[in-house]
Amino acid sequence: MVVTLKIHLTRRDELAIITIDAPPLNLYSLDLDAEFHEALDELGDARALLVNATGKVVSGGVDVSLFAQQEYRAEAQQLFDRMLVLPQRLAALPVPTVFAAHALCLTWAFELAVACDLIVASSSARFGLVEKVVGLTPTMGGTQRLAARAGVGRAKEFVMTGDLYDAATLERWNVVNRVFPDEGFALAAEQFALSLATGPTQAHFATKQVLAHFENGGVPEADAHVTTIAAALYETEDLPRAVHSFLTEGPGRATFTGR
């Protein structure tokens, strides 16, 4: 029996790339979920992660038959608890993460996107949390992560209307970080992620830690931890080397190893 993989993990130098490849619609399934976790287990020494997809859409959503299989509340919660783990793992990675949306990006894929640090999109990409069509609310953290980026009011609009929003609108909402032209999008997204992979990985992780504290408790919470987090970077190799490079060669000439 031939097993067709739905998730592919590749490398370009320091950059790991996870590609969703479950044609024709890249629908979420438990098999896909399991493969995605396996790919995360194999990231190794990658210094950044790019998540992208093949096909005409990033994803058409979740395989609705999965919801039909749940008859009782307890069963449904068990399923939703499992689904939530994947974006949580993405958000907790100690390296920069970039989600690249080249086309229509619905439900679970959008929830993975907002779990990543940065989102890049093609000009023609569209996004939506459309769970309302089956009487459900998003279960993989998309509502609250969208609210963290765009505000509670925008999150309510996005989820309650179930409308589709273009990349330019979500860039204006501070949800999408960069919009690239359709032509050459895949390469532009990869180059963008690769620029992060060659940067000061430990410092990027420190930035993620500071902002996690901010999300939990605002500026006072972040202030309580930022100096400890920043000072720990003096135990890395990158910081003292980059400081020395700045003083001897000028700014912008340092290279980083991620150690």
Side-chain angles (χ1 to χ4, degrees):
M1 182 173 121
V2 176
V3 177
T4 303
L5 295 178
K6 298 178 173 65
I7 298 293
H8 305 286
L9 173 64
T10 55
R11 284 284 291 263
R12 181 179 172 190
D13 300 323
E14 295 91 351
L15 176 66
I17 303 171
I18 290 180
T19 301
I20 303 163
D21 181 21
L25 295 176
N26 292 331
L27 298 181
Y28 176 92
S29 67
L30 295 184
D31 288 344
L32 185 149
D33 180 271
E35 288 186 29
F36 209 118
H37 280 288
E38 290 172 4
L40 292 178
D41 291 338
E42 298 298 324
L43 291 183
D45 61 353
R47 294 170 54 199
L49 170 64
L50 173 66
V51 180
N52 60 20
T54 63
K56 293 183 178 180
V57 300
V58 177
S59 178
V62 175
D63 183 346
V64 175
S65 65
L66 190 59
F67 298 143
Q69 294 167 14
Q70 318 306 312
E71 294 186 45
Y72 302 103
R73 176 176 178 170
E75 292 178 336
Q77 181 156 356
Q78 186 175 33
L79 170 66
F80 297 151
D81 285 343
R82 172 175 175 175
M83 294 172 69
L84 183 58
V85 173
L86 186 55
Q88 288 176 331
R89 283 195 69 185
L90 268 179
L93 288 175
V95 297
T97 54
V98 179
F99 192 98
H102 69 282
L104 181 66
C105 182
L106 298 182
T107 70
W108 79 278
F110 180 76
E111 295 187 271
L112 288 195
V114 291
C116 289
D117 299 318
L118 302 171
I119 303 172
V120 297
S122 71
S123 299
S124 62
R126 295 180 298 159
F127 303 85
L129 290 174
V130 296
E131 283 83 353
K132 78 164 199 174
V133 300
V134 294
L136 190 62
T137 193
T139 64
M140 294 176 70
T143 305
Q144 51 269 41
R145 294 187 190 280
L146 177 60
R149 292 172 182 252
V152 170
R154 290 299 193 189
K156 288 179 178 178
E157 173 189 344
F158 197 86
V159 176
M160 290 182 180
T161 65
D163 289 343
L164 301 182
Y165 294 80
D166 61 27
T169 298
L170 291 197
E171 184 183 36
R172 191 175 72 249
W173 286 11
N174 297 321
V175 177
V176 167
N177 296 92
R178 302 281 179 91
V179 178
F180 296 130
D182 289 350
E183 185 174 353
F185 172 73
L187 179 59
E190 190 171 307
Q191 291 291 344
F192 179 76
L194 191 59
S195 71
L196 297 173
T198 57
T201 313
Q202 299 286 347
H204 291 330
F205 182 42
T207 298
K208 293 176 68 162
Q209 290 175 299
V210 171
L211 290 174
H213 285 297
F214 171 78
E215 288 178 327
N216 288 331
V219 172
E221 172 73 11
D223 282 351
H225 295 276
V226 64
T227 58
T228 301
I229 293 169
L233 294 173
Y234 276 84
E235 296 180 348
T236 69
E237 296 177 11
D238 278 343
L239 186 147
R241 185 186 297 115
V243 170
H244 178 75
S245 174
F246 184 98
L247 293 175
T248 58
E249 304 174 74
R253 296 181 181 274
T255 59
F256 302 96
T257 66
R259 295 188 290 271

